[in-house]
Amino acid sequence: MNKRKMNDTQVERGGTAYGRAMIAVGITAAVLALAYLAGAFFFAGHYYWRTQIDGTDYSFRSKEQVREEILNPSVAYELQIYGREDMQDIVKPDQVGMTYVYDNTLDRINAQLTGLKWPMMFFGGRDFELPKAVTYSDDALAERLSETVFFKKANIHPPEDAYISGYIEGRGYEIVPEYPGTVADFDRVKDAVAEALEKLQETLDLDAGGFYQNAAVKSDDKALRKALEKANRYVGAVITYDWNGEREVVDGSVISQWITITDDDVMLDEEAAREYVNGLARKHDTYGRDRNFTTTMGNTILLKSGSYGWWTDRAGETAALLESVRKGEQVEKEPLYFARGYATGAPGEDIGASYVEIDMGNQHLYLYMNGELILESDFVSGNISRGYGTPAGVFGLTYKERNATLTGENYASHVDYWMPFNGNIGMHDASWRGSFGGDIYMRNGSHGCINLPRDKAEEIYGYMERNFPVICYY
């Protein structure tokens, strides 16, 4: 009896435990069902966890919002354009009527990621790519580009070629670098921007892309460099003259005035150089100019030019100077002369303190050396009555010769000391004369020469050298 009661109790207890277990299972199932249904409802309009489209994570994002964002490129895209001189501008999709054209891939993705299948998101991520094409308005793009900083009139500057500067004292010539300018090819830029939009590029560099005009001649141009070297060789020349005792320097500051540079052509103005030499010759030449002279007797007289003094070979020196400039030489020299003075200086000064003074009015000669009277002598000059009067003026000794024979119309005379100074007129000994001085020259003078006693001629001869001044006056 008691045993049966115990078994019944156990059955009753077991049934109660089973019931509770079933209730728990039922509750769990209901919760899971509700969770699934809630997930199904949520993910019917949202993307699964770990869903990426074109590299963007759209986990738990609204499918409608994502569709709007993807189909409206102005939300997520713009093109930054860079140009020269730090210019930059931005082209945005809405400015050019830009849109994306998609196929049905997004719809297929959404259909694949249904709410009913949402638990599959726990078993791996999803990475999708959307094939798309870009469309835009060609007219709107052209209008937008025309408004950018790159094509505003105030910002457009043409390129400038590199060129050789003017002469810079102490430095010579230099190359002024080219200016690249800011002139861009509108049509090419438009095509490049269109391509960038289609490819969804984020930046476009117009300079790197080669859309600008460039200077035709750049700093490294070989012809320009060669011209620079030539011009600097010219102005690098320094010709230091001793011009009739004065220093004249021809350097870059002077030579640059003769140089003309056109593009890569360097021209040396020979006429300008010739005029420069002519100017120095006019400044320093004394040949052919009258001089004041103070005689031994203390009278100041005006001496006619005669054939004495410094006379520059202008054509020869111009050619020599141009040659030195072309070679870039640095030299010290005298100019080329047709005739030289015995001393340096202005007319009168170029006679110096050593000279022969021939006073034909008094038929008396004086020889000075370094300001000291060395000797004096009577002489006989040209016959006045027969028109052979010795010309007055200043002359330089042509040469000297021993044992010469002087010839002329109806005569041939031997002399021991011959010292010509004015063509065939010179000083010499005259052994055939018994006396000198006085007025012999008036009726029994020479054919123009200065006849001297032999001993005086010999002594004078010892002092003579080329260009030694001989002063004749009445």
Side-chain angles (χ1 to χ4, degrees):
M1 182 85 180
N2 289 336
K3 183 177 181 180
R4 183 176 182 181
K5 285 183 179 179
M6 288 179 63
N7 290 337
D8 289 343
T9 300
Q10 290 177 344
V11 170
E12 184 179 347
R13 288 178 178 175
T16 301
Y18 175 77
R20 284 198 298 269
M22 292 302 294
I23 291 171
V25 170
I27 292 172
T28 301
V31 170
L32 290 174
L34 289 173
Y36 171 77
L37 291 174
F41 179 79
F42 178 80
F43 288 109
H46 294 77
Y47 285 106
Y48 295 169
W49 176 45
R50 293 186 294 177
T51 298
Q52 292 193 12
I53 302 176
D54 288 343
T56 301
D57 188 352
Y58 288 108
S59 299
F60 309 119
R61 296 280 303 278
S62 166
K63 291 179 180 180
E64 288 302 317
Q65 290 180 353
V66 170
R67 173 185 290 276
E68 177 65 19
E69 183 177 307
I70 290 176
L71 297 182
N72 183 3
S74 63
V75 174
Y77 174 75
E78 62 184 23
L79 176 63
Q80 183 84 44
I81 306 176
Y82 298 94
R84 286 179 177 171
E85 298 186 358
D86 296 326
M87 287 190 281
Q88 53 184 292
D89 213 325
I90 297 174
V91 174
K92 298 182 178 181
D94 60 350
Q95 297 171 337
V96 295
M98 177 178 167
T99 60
Y100 293 157
V101 177
Y102 293 93
D103 59 12
N104 63 351
T105 301
L106 185 61
D107 292 331
R108 287 189 288 106
I109 293 172
N110 291 340
Q112 179 181 340
L113 303 181
T114 65
L116 298 176
K117 298 179 181 180
W118 69 267
M120 65 184 291
M121 71 180 182
F122 296 106
F123 302 100
R126 281 138 299 279
D127 193 353
F128 302 101
E129 290 187 4
L130 292 181
K132 58 181 175 293
V134 173
T135 65
Y136 57 89
S137 167
D138 192 71
D139 291 340
L141 175 58
E143 182 178 356
R144 175 66 186 97
L145 278 181
S146 67
E147 295 171 350
T148 60
V149 294
F150 314 110
F151 296 105
K152 286 186 177 180
K153 186 176 181 179
N155 296 334
I156 299 176
H157 308 293
E160 297 176 5
D161 290 346
Y163 63 93
I164 297 175
S165 71
Y167 177 73
I168 304 170
E169 190 70 37
R171 287 160 52 190
Y173 295 96
E174 297 177 352
I175 288 181
V176 178
E178 71 278 5
Y179 170 62
T182 55
V183 180
D185 187 320
F186 183 87
D187 291 335
R188 292 184 61 216
V189 171
K190 179 173 171 290
D191 291 343
V193 170
E195 183 179 357
L197 293 175
E198 291 170 359
K199 294 181 178 180
L200 299 177
Q201 290 178 209
E202 295 184 354
T203 62
L204 176 64
D205 190 327
L206 301 185
D207 196 14
F211 300 109
Y212 282 104
Q213 290 183 16
N214 289 303
V217 180
K218 298 184 178 180
S219 300
D220 58 356
D221 183 83
K222 290 183 179 180
L224 192 66
R225 289 282 174 184
K226 186 175 181 180
L228 177 69
E229 179 183 351
K230 184 177 182 180
N232 279 331
R233 182 173 69 250
Y234 287 176
V235 296
V238 180
I239 298 89
T240 304
Y241 284 107
D242 177 358
W243 209 308
N244 184 12
E246 290 193 37
R247 187 173 182 266
E248 297 285 357
V249 179
V250 180
D251 57 14
S253 62
V254 176
I255 298 167
S256 61
Q257 300 176 43
W258 309 338
I259 292 176
T260 301
I261 302 175
T262 305
D263 297 328
D264 56 7
D265 188 19
V266 180
M267 299 294 294
L268 196 57
D269 189 339
E270 296 184 6
E271 186 58 36
R274 182 177 297 108
E275 184 52 41
Y276 185 83
V277 170
N278 288 345
L280 290 179
R282 286 191 293 270
K283 176 182 177 181
H284 296 297
D285 282 2
T286 60
Y287 192 93
R289 298 175 66 178
D290 296 343
R291 298 164 174 79
N292 289 319
F293 178 74
T294 301
T295 68
T296 299
M297 302 299 292
N299 300 317
T300 300
I301 62 174
L302 180 65
L303 294 173
K304 293 298 181 182
S305 60
S307 56
Y308 175 81
W310 299 93
W311 180 13
T312 302
D313 177 356
R314 298 183 181 187
E317 188 51 46
T318 298
L321 174 58
L322 287 169
E323 183 67 15
S324 290
V325 169
R326 290 189 177 99
K327 291 180 179 179
E329 292 181 333
Q330 298 188 6
V331 295
E332 296 184 6
K333 59 176 289 187
E334 283 189 327
L336 299 175
Y337 291 112
F338 287 125
R340 303 171 62 92
Y342 193 71
T344 59
E349 295 176 0
D350 59 349
I351 293 174
S354 299
Y355 54 87
V356 174
E357 179 184 341
I358 301 176
D359 181 351
M360 292 180 294
N362 293 308
Q363 295 288 286
H364 202 71
L365 175 149
Y366 307 91
L367 170 62
Y368 287 91
M369 293 298 298
N370 298 318
E372 180 182 355
L373 180 61
I374 300 300
L375 66 81
E376 54 185 301
S377 173
D378 288 336
F379 61 85
V380 175
S381 61
N383 192 326
I384 297 296
S385 65
R386 298 183 60 185
Y388 293 138
T390 304
V394 184
F395 308 92
L397 192 76
T398 309
Y399 62 93
K400 64 181 183 178
E401 182 181 356
R402 286 293 311 275
N403 300 316
T405 299
L406 309 181
T407 60
E409 186 178 356
N410 301 321
Y411 74 90
S413 302
H414 172 83
V415 298
D416 291 337
Y417 302 97
W418 170 232
M419 295 165 281
F421 57 81
N422 181 12
N424 289 327
I425 297 174
M427 297 176 288
H428 61 81
D429 55 293
S431 58
W432 57 86
R433 290 189 182 277
S435 61
F436 298 89
D439 58 1
I440 298 173
Y441 75 106
M442 298 297 292
R443 292 180 177 79
N444 190 27
S446 68
H447 288 85
C449 288
I450 304 299
N451 293 176
L452 292 163
R454 187 183 184 284
D455 60 334
K456 297 297 184 180
E458 179 181 10
E459 189 173 356
I460 293 171
Y461 186 92
Y463 288 101
M464 290 300 97
E465 58 184 341
R466 182 177 173 80
N467 295 325
F468 197 89
V470 179
I471 303 164
C472 301
Y473 64 88
Y474 288 91

